[in-house]
Amino acid sequence: MKRTARAFWIGPPGHGEIRDVVLPDPAEDEVVVRSLWSGVSRGTETLVFRGGVPENQHATMRAPFQEGDFPGPVKYGYLNVGVVEEGPAALLGRTVFCLYPHQTRYVVPASAVTPVPESVPAGRAVLAGTVETAVNALWDAAPLVGDRIAVVGGGMVGCSVAALLGRFPGVRVQLVDADPARAKIAEALGVGFALPADALGDCDLVVHASATEQGLTRALELLTPEGTVLELSWYGDRKVSLPLGEAFHSRRLVIRSSQVGTVSPARSNRSYGDRLALALDLLADPALDALVTGESDFEELPELLPRLASGEIPALCHRVRYTDIG
């Protein structure tokens, strides 16, 4: 009897569809996972949805289990939580996280799934990939006790970074965003909030995650002399201009990139698996539920992605719910 599933594909940019797929028989070292939840990483996935991945970044931007090529047709995504239906005894019946696209069932190597701790609800575990990005960013940034820090951009990544920074002793953390509604998210995460014009300056570190030219410019303005902006935004095919004249050089400011595709050199002794397992452990904090701002059924994805891409739904993480539909 053939195993079947349904998967979400992006066809031409700006259009999505649900396709039927036949799953391969699992090998001895593979697992069959039935999806419970997946998450739409709004920034990256809507950029992919609109066809905004630059041609010279097609290889770099590939997701681990992506099918097809940019700009499309492509099956893309990387926030999936499911239950193991077939596989090694140690994993059978376990709830696991996997960097897999939106699909009802799938077959992957057992090494590609990470068990979700019992302290973490399956619905919250879809945030693991984003919290993993935040972990890597803080390994890169190396904040110190007592630092004055701003996080500019209150999306999924920015809020995850702010949530982790809020646990550092003696640190002043302020989430900065143009949307005043993000103040409630900041309060739930236990950090301060400000609109860009009202943000506190003299920052030792500013983490920028707004993916806007204005946000990156404001991040530079908030720094103390010799301060650092850690740039987490992914701009895709957009060009960005910066004021690198004026006092940029005399204040000896630093702009440093961070990207989750490589484990931070500051923790080169850690593996990708170590980093993901840490992210899942950190998700035991119920405050992180504030990052899930909407929920839809899997079958609604073709109608949902255009609304997320246009900003009609101003989501952080939009969670996708699965029933046993194939």
Side-chain angles (χ1 to χ4, degrees):
M1 180 177 173
K2 292 183 178 180
R3 298 172 180 81
T4 60
R6 291 169 63 73
F8 175 71
W9 280 72
I10 298 166
H15 299 276
E17 62 182 10
I18 304 288
R19 296 185 180 182
D20 294 322
V21 297
V22 176
L23 301 181
D25 291 330
E28 187 175 340
D29 59 347
E30 292 183 320
V31 291
V32 178
V33 179
R34 173 172 55 86
S35 295
L36 299 173
W37 303 95
S38 61
V40 179
S41 180
R42 183 170 175 262
T44 303
E45 289 195 52
T46 59
L47 186 147
V48 171
F49 184 73
R50 68 173 178 82
V53 179
E55 187 173 352
N56 63 5
Q57 292 297 301
H58 282 188
T60 301
M61 281 292 294
R62 287 193 69 86
F65 293 100
Q66 173 180 325
E67 292 184 38
D69 297 301
F70 302 120
V74 62
K75 184 175 76 175
Y76 191 85
Y78 48 83
L79 302 173
N80 189 290
V81 176
V83 61
V84 176
E85 292 188 320
E86 300 178 50
L91 289 172
L92 197 60
R94 295 288 303 272
T95 300
V96 295
F97 177 85
C98 185
L99 296 167
Y100 203 87
H102 308 284
Q103 185 166 308
T104 57
R105 274 187 177 82
Y106 52 92
V107 178
V108 293
S111 59
V113 302
T114 302
V116 174
E118 292 185 6
S119 59
V120 179
R124 190 187 305 153
V126 296
L127 298 168
T130 308
V131 173
E132 183 184 8
T133 299
V135 167
N136 204 60
L138 296 186
W139 283 350
D140 279 334
L144 300 176
V145 172
D147 272 358
R148 295 159 296 185
I149 304 175
V151 179
V152 176
M156 271 183 79
V157 172
C159 285
S160 296
V161 170
L164 299 190
L165 284 170
R167 304 177 181 195
F168 279 64
V171 168
R172 185 192 80 189
V173 184
Q174 194 171 54
L175 182 66
V176 180
D177 197 276
D179 182 359
R182 292 287 190 260
K184 291 184 178 179
I185 305 287
E187 182 180 6
L189 298 177
V191 299
F193 175 82
L195 297 172
D198 302 324
L200 298 172
D202 293 323
C203 292
D204 305 288
L205 169 68
V206 178
V207 179
H208 180 241
S210 81
T212 66
E213 182 177 306
Q214 297 87 345
L216 184 50
T217 297
R218 186 61 178 139
L220 287 168
E221 293 170 349
L222 295 176
L223 287 175
T224 193
E226 301 190 2
T228 296
V229 169
L230 187 77
E231 177 58 278
L232 291 180
S233 298
W234 168 244
Y235 298 93
D237 55 1
R238 289 176 292 142
K239 305 295 183 183
V240 176
S241 297
L242 283 178
L244 299 184
E246 303 176 356
F248 178 79
H249 286 83
S250 63
R251 297 177 67 217
R252 299 178 60 84
L253 303 181
V254 175
I255 302 174
R256 182 179 181 187
S257 65
S258 178
Q259 211 275 338
V260 73
T262 301
V263 173
S264 169
R267 293 294 179 272
S268 59
N269 60 329
R270 307 291 180 88
S271 68
Y272 290 100
D274 292 335
R275 190 178 64 183
L276 179 56
L278 173 58
L280 281 163
D281 285 340
L282 292 169
L283 280 165
D285 185 352
L288 290 164
D289 284 331
L291 303 187
V292 179
T293 54
E295 191 174 297
S296 300
D297 288 329
F298 167 75
E299 297 288 346
E300 298 176 74
L301 274 170
E303 293 75 40
L304 173 68
L305 259 293
R307 299 175 66 198
L308 288 172
S310 69
E312 179 185 344
I313 301 177
L316 292 179
C317 177
H318 195 94
R319 192 163 56 192
V320 178
R321 179 176 54 242
Y322 294 76
T323 54
D324 195 2
I325 54 177

